Amino acid sequence: ELLIVVAIIAIIAAIAVPSLLTSRMAANEASGIEGCRTAGSAEVAFASTNNAQYTTLDTLWTQGFLDQRFQTGFNGYTYNVDAAQAIAGVPTIITTFAPPNSFGIIATPTQGLSRFQYGIAPDQVVRYLDVPFGDTPPLGLAPGDGVGKMTTP
């Protein structure tokens, strides 16, 4: 009887663990999107008090517009500004903007914790950018598409 109970628990665990890992990854990706929105809002808040001039993430951290998590990364993402980054098929809305006249913030996933790279620019649209680790791209999104965009069948 004990052997049967252990076998049932093992079967349930084998079913539950992959679902748990997938759910965690989806939550991290939602956090990455929200992190882009937060960083974009911080840039706009900074610009509204500094003659419409954007700044770097370092300045946003030191002046209290963003907390320290954005410096080290959290929930499977690190955040950076890389104006020279070229991602195939991505509009220049993200890849060519640099302070003080513009900004582009990129959320880069940590392998095993999240899959998709996102970015935000002055238009405040979070865009899907890339799949850095060879995972399957999200259904219906091409690099540069806004996350949450409406599609027609």
Side-chain angles (χ1 to χ4, degrees):
E1 290 178 10
L2 184 60
L3 188 57
I4 292 172
V5 171
V6 170
I8 291 172
I9 291 172
I11 291 170
I12 292 171
I15 294 170
V17 169
S19 296
L20 178 66
L21 295 177
T22 301
S23 297
R24 180 178 177 211
M25 193 171 290
N28 284 348
E29 289 162 5
S31 175
I33 292 168
E34 191 56 37
C36 283
R37 289 186 180 125
T38 300
S41 294
E43 283 281 9
V44 170
F46 180 88
S48 70
T49 60
N50 290 282
N51 294 330
Q53 303 242 333
Y54 298 109
T55 189
T56 64
L57 286 176
D58 287 332
T59 302
L60 292 175
W61 299 319
T62 57
Q63 294 195 10
F65 287 91
L66 290 174
D67 61 40
Q68 292 299 317
R69 296 177 308 152
F70 283 87
Q71 190 172 20
T72 58
F74 60 98
N75 292 343
Y77 280 90
T78 56
Y79 297 85
N80 56 50
V81 177
D82 187 356
Q85 183 169 0
I87 300 171
V90 175
T92 56
I93 193 81
I94 299 244
T95 58
T96 60
F97 286 134
N101 299 322
S102 194
F103 71 91
I105 296 172
I106 297 173
T108 303
T110 303
Q111 190 167 13
L113 296 177
S114 42
R115 299 169 291 188
F116 309 130
Q117 188 176 49
Y118 299 104
I120 192 166
D123 66 355
Q124 294 296 308
V125 174
V126 177
R127 298 179 189 283
Y128 159 73
L129 299 180
D130 197 9
V131 185
F133 306 117
D135 291 305
T136 304
L139 186 62
L141 284 180
D145 284 349
V147 175
K149 71 174 188 159
M150 298 296 292
T151 58
T152 55

